Amino acid sequence: MSYRSRFLAVCGAGAVTAGALLVAVPLWLRPRLPEPLAVHWGPSGQADRTGSFGTAMALDLAMLGLIVAFLLYAVLHRDAADHPDRRRPVAALLAGAVTLVLAVRAATLAANLDRPDWRAAELPLMPVLFILLAVVAAGALGWAAAAHGPVPPPRETPAGPSMRLAAGRRTVWVSSAVNPWAGAAALAGVAGAAVVGLLAWLFPFAGLGTALPPLVIIGLVGAIVHRVGVRVGDDRVVISFGPFRAPARTIPLDNLRGATVEDRQPYQTGGWGLRGLPGRSTIMIRGGETLVLRYASGGRLAITVDDARHGAALINALLAERVQAP
Amino acid sequence: MLLTLDLNDPRPLHEQVAAAVRQAVASGVATPGQRLPSARELAAALGVNANTVLRALRDLRDEGVLEFRRGRGVSVLRPPDGRQVLLRRSRELLEEAGRYGYRPEDVIEMIKELS
């Protein structure tokens, strides 16, 4: 039995168990439950929405079906079982999602149990915290469990461009990419926040203050993703965001094994911004030339940036130099 | 933009930075119309003061290599004059030849041999 089949079998057994629990336990408890059930609670712990027993069960099974569909898609279509860097997040996500469905149903049943009417069902804060803890713990367990398993032989890194470095010279590469739309959004956000802030200050009774946080967030996020800068030099690669070069991320060359150039479009990565899971992510500012950093640990980070060919060449040349003169 | 500084260059730093940018433009690494990274970014990458980079960029603007535009930053205007570049390189070559004990006439002979 291949590892993939075993992975599917274990996950499938988990899903079937979860499904059996979601059907059997509510049916067993049904005589002690009110109809309709309280299914949603306000911040105070008071029930504020109801649903029928059948709807609740159908919803649970639909969620489980979605989770199983994701499992099948990830394993069969995206080879998630065969690569540790994909297997771990997928296992963590599946374990967390199944635990969430189970824990939410358990808390709902416990709150409704032996209540004469749904209005009497109360859900205090503590169980909610326990649910969140359980989800995080299950996710961590899934992550850890998936760490064991086959590691594919490291694929040959496609050789990127390189260059010759002269002795006694210090070569650096500086480049950036700009997204004018994000810049416009940032400007609009900041200008809107200024106008709304002024109006809210002038007319404090109008309740305009609530519009302020979203505008400030639009302004900030727009400013940060408006521009990405990359610089290569000495022993590190520094990636910085926004006009003030902060936040920034530094990657020591020790953590890299090469760099290549690709052409990437937003539709391939799923849109603009920071895309993908850690180890396979893309910083997509604009479509086109992309610098792909390959980590020594096997992952990669892609950054859309102008003049990526020279950047990749310098990284590869610096890495080659380090191998020759450790 | 790819820039190279000579670590043993005795000239003042701002001249070295200017030479690095000039070389990048002359060799076609940076093409006319291309925007340069900001002075602060160049300074951070090269490990020099931002004012040093600004001074180098202003020198290059006065040479006609770069163009400063309000709100659009610094961009490449045109490659440096070929004769100027060659003169500079020849001066460097003669200096290096001197360090090895060759006179300018020897260097001329070598160039004749090559061509």
Side-chain angles (χ1 to χ4, degrees), chain A residues 8-304:
Chain A
L8 272 182
V10 170
C11 292
V16 168
T17 313
L21 283 173
L22 286 172
V23 173
V25 175
L27 280 178
W28 174 53
L29 293 174
R30 190 164 189 186
R32 293 164 64 189
L33 295 170
E35 179 70 37
L37 293 164
V39 294
H40 191 270
W41 284 264
S44 60
Q46 283 293 323
D48 60 5
R49 215 182 299 157
T50 63
S52 79
F53 182 86
T55 316
M57 184 175 287
L59 211 62
D60 281 349
L61 293 178
M63 301 269 268
L64 198 63
L66 274 181
I67 294 169
V68 170
F70 171 73
L71 166 74
L72 291 176
Y73 168 76
V75 172
L76 297 179
H77 194 69
R78 302 300 297 267
D79 299 333
D82 306 317
H83 299 270
D85 55 343
R86 281 178 238 181
R87 187 165 65 219
R88 282 195 298 249
V90 165
L93 206 64
L94 289 171
V98 170
T99 308
L100 181 66
V101 174
L102 284 175
V104 165
R105 179 53 57 218
T108 314
L109 289 176
N112 280 289
L113 199 61
D114 292 331
R115 304 286 175 181
D117 184 75
W118 66 270
R119 284 175 202 83
E122 283 182 12
L123 187 68
L125 188 62
M126 280 311 282
V128 178
L129 291 181
F130 276 125
I131 292 176
L132 292 180
L133 270 180
V135 168
V136 172
L141 268 179
W143 181 280
H148 306 288
V151 177
R155 265 177 303 171
E156 267 317 294
T157 311
S162 193
M163 58 185 287
R164 217 167 56 87
L165 292 176
R169 279 166 195 267
R170 175 188 159 89
T171 304
V172 299
W173 177 76
V174 190
S175 191
S176 62
V178 170
N179 185 323
W181 296 104
L187 276 183
V190 169
V195 170
V196 168
L198 184 69
L199 286 176
W201 179 64
L202 288 175
F203 309 104
F205 45 82
L208 285 166
T210 50
L212 209 50
L215 286 171
V216 170
I217 290 173
I218 290 174
L220 268 180
V221 172
I224 287 172
V225 302
H226 160 230
R227 186 188 156 283
V228 63
V230 183
R231 80 177 186 256
V232 178
D234 293 335
D235 51 357
R236 62 182 79 101
V237 179
V238 181
I239 303 159
S240 61
F241 297 90
F244 306 109
R245 292 189 287 132
R249 175 153 173 230
T250 302
I251 302 167
L253 278 186
D254 284 333
N255 294 357
L256 297 180
R257 64 183 165 125
T260 48
V261 184
E262 287 176 18
D263 188 90
R264 281 187 193 206
Q265 300 299 330
Y267 66 81
Q268 294 167 316
T269 55
W272 284 268
L274 179 58
R275 291 283 154 178
L277 296 162
R280 297 193 62 75
S281 46
T282 303
I283 298 169
M284 173 61 65
I285 298 289
R286 52 117 182 92
E289 207 176 0
T290 305
L291 174 67
V292 183
L293 305 177
R294 303 202 176 260
Y295 290 116
S297 59
R300 56 148 188 74
L301 173 66
I303 311 134
T304 56

Side-chain angles (χ1 to χ4, degrees), chain A residues 163 168-176 227 229-231 234 240 243-245 307 310 314, chain B residues 1-8 28-29 34-35 37-38 40-42 44-48:
Chain A
M163 58 185 287
R169 279 166 195 267
R170 175 188 159 89
T171 304
V172 299
W173 177 76
V174 190
S175 191
S176 62
R227 186 188 156 283
V230 183
R231 80 177 186 256
D234 293 335
S240 61
F244 306 109
R245 292 189 287 132
D307 189 32
H310 283 119
L314 179 58
Chain B
M1 170 158 195
L2 206 56
L3 293 173
T4 302
L5 278 189
D6 190 340
L7 297 175
N8 306 314
V29 163
Q34 187 179 324
R35 272 179 65 170
S38 77
R40 271 184 303 162
E41 258 174 303
L42 287 174
L46 291 167
V48 300

